[in-house]
Amino acid sequence: MTAEDAGFDSLGLHPDLVSSLAGLGYEAPTPIQTAAIPQMISGRDLLCQAATGTGKTAAFALPIVSGIGEHRSGLPTALVLAPTRELCVQVAEAVHRYGRPFGVRTLPVYGGQPIGRQITALKRGVDIVVATPGRALDLLNRKSLKLNDVATVVLDEADEMLDMGFAEDIEEILSQAPADRQTVMFSATMPKRILRIAKHHLDDPLRIEIEREVPTGDAGPKIRQVAYVVARPYKAAALGRILDVETPAATLVFCRTRAEVDQLAETLNGRGYRAEALHGGMDQSMRDRVMGRLRSGGADLLVATDVAARGLDVDHLTHVVNFDVPAAPESYVHRIGRVGRGDRTGTAITIAEPRERRQLAAIERSTGGNIEIGTLPTSAQLRERRLELTRASLAVSCLDDDLERYRPLLEALTEDAGIEQVALAAIKTAHLATVGEQGEAEIPEAPEPRTARADKGRRSGWNKRDDETDRRRDKGGPGQSGKSRRGGPPAPGKKRIFINAGNDAGIRPADIVGAIANETGLPGSQIGPIDIRARHTTVDVPDTEAAAVIKALGRTRVKGQRVKARKDRDR
Ligand code: AMP
């Protein structure tokens, strides 16, 4: 069966686009596509209830691409707003794929990525912008994003955007778009707030409702509960690895004590995550700011104690992590109840020490839930996942239209090496620069208790060994991340920077990462390791960025105070 027989050709799409769909393996339009595409082409406003997996992206992207004419002003003709950077990248990739036969220029823009690059790309000319609302508004205010030629605005996962607090930004963006534009809203749910926005900003919209085509099969619990059993010295490394593979969007990590919160936030920051420690003493506006960073993608994880996490507005979390097994089942239920709200699904991850298995079983019994015992991702899986991240990031770079300026380098390099070899070397460099190979050392598996003795509260031999490991660690045994932060020289290609404030001034890793990332746009993954001492801090940054980082730290405040930064004399 070809696309033509199956009905893609009857929807009014450009014939060249219809033929390219067969090449993508799309044989027939999905219900949302059949319903929405002709209406979008006719210019009608739409209010569509459709979840992920229904083919909704193509439902709005195909008619947009199909309608892009030969004459392009360089200003965007379509703006797609999406709640998260992940979705932005995913939608932009899809639009790029569909638009390839027409040479459509697509640009994903989202927070957490240097804005300068986005401004330059917009200047060069873009046909379709896929943006998170916050960043779109920022670019609008800077007059870099111009909506004069926008004929279609799509709000993708509108309910999610409202949950993330983007309502005002969306209103502002829509009010700046031309009044005669077409507006199309997609939402998995249709709460009143969505209908209110639709009433204000959509013109006599057609309502389309589509059930999820393929039932997910998990009609049962909306929260997937997984526990990983690991010996204590490896807990942080194990969590890092789990996060690397799960790549959660917004995560709250619970620790037992404040000291554990700081330690874990530091370890995760050293691993390239942007983790923020949340403290009980923070007032509401500080909490809101931290939550805002989590929403906008400026932070990946919040690490908190139960007390510190109280009262957080956390509706959009995708993952909750128990860095230990909570002592009481009620506490476990309360913690994991932070995900899976409304119609959303969520994941609760628990890191358990072997001796905590019993507690885990007790929680399972008393909550009637099912906690699956997970197997830690192997080094090979981690490597595979990281390669996939590099692939995705390179796929986005392939959308850049300023690649030509690197041609002289390509030509110089291919004088001595084949083009494939050059490409492989470039991929390797990109891979090492972004995700790297940290934490790929094996983590020993915690064996099942040999007998039921452990369940009866007696210690198995293995558990005893584990406790011994704990004691060793408490005396300064092997570091959690397996990466020595103290003493050693900076990694090749890195420079160590000395900052004249440390623990005594309340400096935490997140403050350093935040200050550098905000001022220079350097991604968190390239900042660190960070070593915070009583009265000074050192941080390693890429060689090429050291001067810019020193300058930036000189003009900003870290934790509300001015600091002095310089190249570390020892290094
Ligand atoms: P979405 O709901 O937009 O996240 O799309 C879900 C998946 O369905 C994506 O991987 C699309 O590439 C794929 N898809 C979309 N439309 C079709 C189609 N007509 N036939 C086959 N696959 C499709």
Side-chain angles (χ1 to χ4, degrees):
M1 193 163 52
T2 68
E4 278 83 354
D5 306 330
F8 263 119
D9 66 337
S10 60
L11 302 180
L13 293 169
H14 194 292
D16 291 352
L17 187 56
V18 173
S19 12
S20 76
L21 288 177
L24 293 179
Y26 292 9
E27 294 188 330
T30 65
I32 182 80
Q33 292 161 3
T34 308
I37 291 175
Q39 298 294 338
M40 269 193 80
I41 292 174
S42 77
R44 181 128 192 218
D45 282 5
L46 300 180
L47 181 54
C48 305
Q49 182 161 7
T52 301
T54 52
K56 67 182 167 74
T57 314
F60 64 76
L62 291 174
I64 291 176
V65 165
S66 179
I68 286 185
E70 301 278 303
H71 304 291
R72 317 218 180 127
S73 65
L75 292 185
T77 56
L79 171 67
V80 180
L81 295 177
T84 61
R85 57 186 153 158
E86 287 78 14
L87 192 62
C88 274
V89 168
Q90 214 175 305
V91 170
E93 275 192 300
V95 173
H96 177 69
R97 214 167 39 235
Y98 305 138
R100 193 174 285 141
F102 300 106
V104 170
R105 292 164 298 178
T106 314
L107 181 69
V109 298
Y110 44 84
Q113 201 198 35
I115 200 162
R117 205 174 128 197
Q118 297 170 354
I119 293 173
T120 316
L122 285 167
K123 264 198 205 129
R124 275 196 307 268
V126 170
D127 303 309
I128 301 175
V129 172
V130 186
T132 49
R135 186 48 70 97
L137 195 58
D138 196 349
L139 289 162
L140 267 176
N141 291 338
R142 292 170 188 246
K143 311 252 179 292
S144 298
L145 174 62
K146 299 195 176 78
L147 302 183
N148 316 35
D149 285 3
V150 164
T152 304
V153 176
V154 177
L155 306 180
D156 193 12
E157 303 205 353
D159 50 355
E160 200 70 19
M161 288 199 280
L162 294 193
D163 283 348
M164 292 172 72
F166 284 134
E168 278 176 24
D169 291 359
I170 293 173
E171 298 268 351
E172 179 61 31
I173 294 164
L174 289 176
S175 72
Q176 294 195 34
D180 61 352
R181 62 158 200 277
Q182 173 184 43
T183 315
V184 179
M185 242 169 126
F186 284 84
S187 190
T189 58
M190 283 291 159
K192 280 212 185 76
R193 294 174 307 150
I194 293 281
L195 299 176
R196 219 173 296 135
I197 293 210
K199 199 160 165 221
H200 277 135
H201 296 283
L202 272 60
D203 179 18
D204 183 27
L206 178 74
R207 267 192 82 158
I208 299 175
E209 279 177 45
I210 301 290
E211 292 296 319
R212 191 190 279 272
E213 257 198 307
V214 190
T216 51
D218 59 357
K222 288 189 304 177
I223 306 177
R224 182 170 68 100
Q225 302 177 54
V226 200
Y228 297 89
V229 184
V230 219
R232 184 163 158 192
Y234 298 101
K235 273 170 70 173
L239 177 58
R241 179 171 295 190
I242 294 161
L243 294 173
D244 283 349
V245 173
E246 292 247 347
T247 52
T251 305
L252 183 57
V253 185
F254 284 101
C255 292
R256 233 180 303 231
T257 64
R258 202 169 154 156
E260 220 172 41
V261 166
D262 281 335
Q263 164 82 51
L264 184 61
E266 184 180 353
T267 305
L268 292 171
N269 274 307
R271 227 187 136 95
Y273 281 98
R274 284 159 313 166
E276 300 246 10
L278 200 68
H279 286 297
M282 288 180 164
D283 65 20
Q284 194 55 44
S285 72
M286 285 164 92
R287 283 152 187 273
D288 289 347
R289 272 204 297 282
V290 172
M291 286 310 291
R293 281 201 286 280
L294 190 68
R295 283 193 192 106
S296 66
D300 305 311
L301 306 146
L302 290 190
V303 189
T305 56
D306 291 279
V307 174
R310 226 175 260 163
L312 276 188
D313 166 23
V314 288
D315 265 1
H316 67 292
L317 289 179
T318 57
H319 288 64
V320 162
V321 174
N322 297 303
F323 194 59
D324 52 70
V325 181
E330 297 74 39
S331 161
Y332 177 86
V333 171
H334 189 237
R335 283 178 174 187
I336 74 164
R338 310 293 188 120
V339 290
R341 295 187 170 187
D343 286 327
R344 282 179 291 279
T345 54
T347 302
I349 294 168
T350 302
I351 311 289
E353 291 173 45
R355 61 172 169 206
E356 288 172 323
R357 280 178 195 272
R358 232 160 41 90
Q359 238 163 293
L360 210 55
I363 288 175
E364 225 178 352
R365 268 196 307 278
S366 104
T367 61
N370 178 28
I371 306 176
E372 168 198 335
I373 299 291
T375 316
L376 272 188
T378 60
S379 307
Q381 282 166 327
L382 179 64
R383 268 193 293 278
E384 193 181 310
R385 175 69 199 151
R386 287 178 166 178
L387 286 170
E388 170 52 26
L389 290 178
T390 300
R391 188 208 63 78
S393 126
L394 284 171
V396 172
S397 290
C398 285
L399 306 180
D400 290 352
D401 53 9
D402 65 343
L403 297 178
E404 276 306 313
R405 65 194 174 104
Y406 301 100
R407 188 170 292 281
L409 261 138
L410 178 69
E411 279 163 6
L413 287 164
T414 45
E415 276 176 17
D416 298 323
I419 195 154
E420 205 171 278
Q421 201 178 356
V422 173
L424 290 171
I427 293 173
K428 177 183 167 186
T429 309
H431 183 67
L432 294 180
T434 48
V435 279
E437 291 175 347
Q438 248 190 68
E440 289 184 2
E442 281 304 339
I443 296 176
E445 208 171 308
E448 291 287 331
R450 280 192 209 99
T451 63
R453 280 159 66 208
D455 279 337
K456 289 193 192 125
R458 277 187 246 142
R459 289 194 167 146
S460 70
W462 202 86
N463 282 346
K464 227 181 281 160
R465 273 208 303 282
D466 179 38
D467 281 355
E468 278 157 18
T469 323
D470 286 352
R471 278 198 296 279
R472 273 205 304 278
R473 198 186 109 63
D474 290 340
K475 283 188 201 144
Q480 297 206 356
S481 65
K483 197 169 73 138
S484 164
R485 232 180 285 297
R486 314 231 151 176
K494 292 258 196 169
K495 256 270 160 344
R496 186 155 297 166
I497 289 175
F498 175 97
I499 302 164
N500 69 341
N503 250 329
D504 289 356
I507 302 276
R508 293 166 307 129
D511 303 318
I512 302 289
V513 175
I516 297 177
N518 286 339
E519 286 297 314
T520 63
L522 201 61
S525 55
Q526 297 200 21
I527 303 169
I530 298 171
D531 182 7
I532 302 185
R533 302 297 178 97
R535 278 193 262 147
H536 77 266
T537 298
T538 60
V539 53
D540 295 358
V541 298
D543 239 337
T544 49
E545 305 293 329
V549 169
I550 289 173
K551 218 160 140 197
L553 285 172
R555 64 172 179 255
T556 188
R557 285 169 193 271
V558 181
K559 193 94 185 190
Q561 53 208 305
R562 294 236 169 261
V563 295
K564 282 210 175 79
R566 57 168 167 78
K567 286 200 179 129
D568 189 23
R569 287 201 191 99
D570 298 342
R571 308 285 166 204

